Amino acid sequence: AQSVTQLGSHVSVSEGALVLLRCNYSSSVPPYLFWYVQYPNQGLQLLLKYTTGATLVKGINGFEAEFKKSETSFHLTKPSAHMSDAAEYFCAVRGTSGNTPLVFGKGTRLSVIA
Amino acid sequence: SAVISQKPSRDICQRGTSLTIQCQVDSQVTMMFWYRQQPGQSLTLIATANQGSEATYESGFVIDKFPISRPNLTFSTLTVSNMSPEDSSIYLCSVNRDSGNTIYFGEGSWLTVV
């Protein structure tokens, strides 16, 4: 079975500082990996995903993540935080078969301080 | 236009009643997935709905409480039965497309049980 661990339920950064949200997965084979963002009272929005190919994945809003198989990690980063980045971030994993569901981590709430 | 049309988008329900949520997909898909997001929590998979067979429920979810129908390859319903305040959540349906490389979510059904 696959699982996802997000380290830190709440991360607070200053505006302009580096954003680092950690995600580790457990899977018997390298899975597909995703990061979603959810703004207050809104639905999920896909930030980025890794399926195959380049392990450094660039997403929307300046975010990127790197798949590190040796560390079973898929941490999300952004060089400079903006106030509008304040939201809940979810890391998710799924198998490479086309009909497998996503398994979500518990989420990390990002706060950005002016 | 949206890949998934989900309704109702919001509802306030009396405890003890049941509510059926509908998901309509704009093309045929094999599997449809139903998730629950309780307030302040992550998404949890309720069940996987495959056309022509009984839905497969995850641990902690039972058919009597969350009956699912999947009458064809573009439509599914989830019923939340005998609701209590603990059922107040966002319920989302999801499908995989493009051989699983793209995942779509409905906008969610935001249920409040009073």
Side-chain angles (χ1 to χ4, degrees), chain A residues 4-25:
Chain A
V4 175
T5 301
Q6 291 184 242
L7 295 176
S9 60
H10 184 205
V11 171
S12 184
V13 301
S14 299
E15 191 174 21
L18 171 71
V19 175
L20 171 61
L21 304 182
R22 299 178 187 273
C23 173
N24 288 87
Y25 68 89

Side-chain angles (χ1 to χ4, degrees), chain B residues 4-74:
Chain B
I4 301 177
S5 174
Q6 184 174 342
K7 60 182 181 182
S9 56
R10 292 180 186 272
D11 208 340
I12 299 174
C13 309
Q14 297 294 320
R15 75 173 66 201
T17 63
S18 299
L19 183 79
T20 296
I21 301 165
Q22 300 179 5
C23 266
Q24 178 73 52
V25 188
D26 66 356
S27 65
Q28 295 183 346
V29 291
T30 305
M31 302 286 194
M32 293 180 73
F33 307 104
W34 287 98
Y35 291 86
R36 180 178 73 179
Q37 186 178 22
Q38 294 179 298
Q41 304 294 317
S42 184
L43 281 78
T44 301
L45 182 67
I46 297 172
T48 300
N50 191 3
Q51 196 269 336
S53 63
E54 290 279 339
T56 302
Y57 289 83
E58 298 299 305
S59 176
F61 297 96
V62 295
I63 188 171
D64 289 347
K65 177 67 176 178
F66 298 101
I68 288 171
S69 77
R70 184 80 201 276
N72 57 55
L73 290 173
T74 63

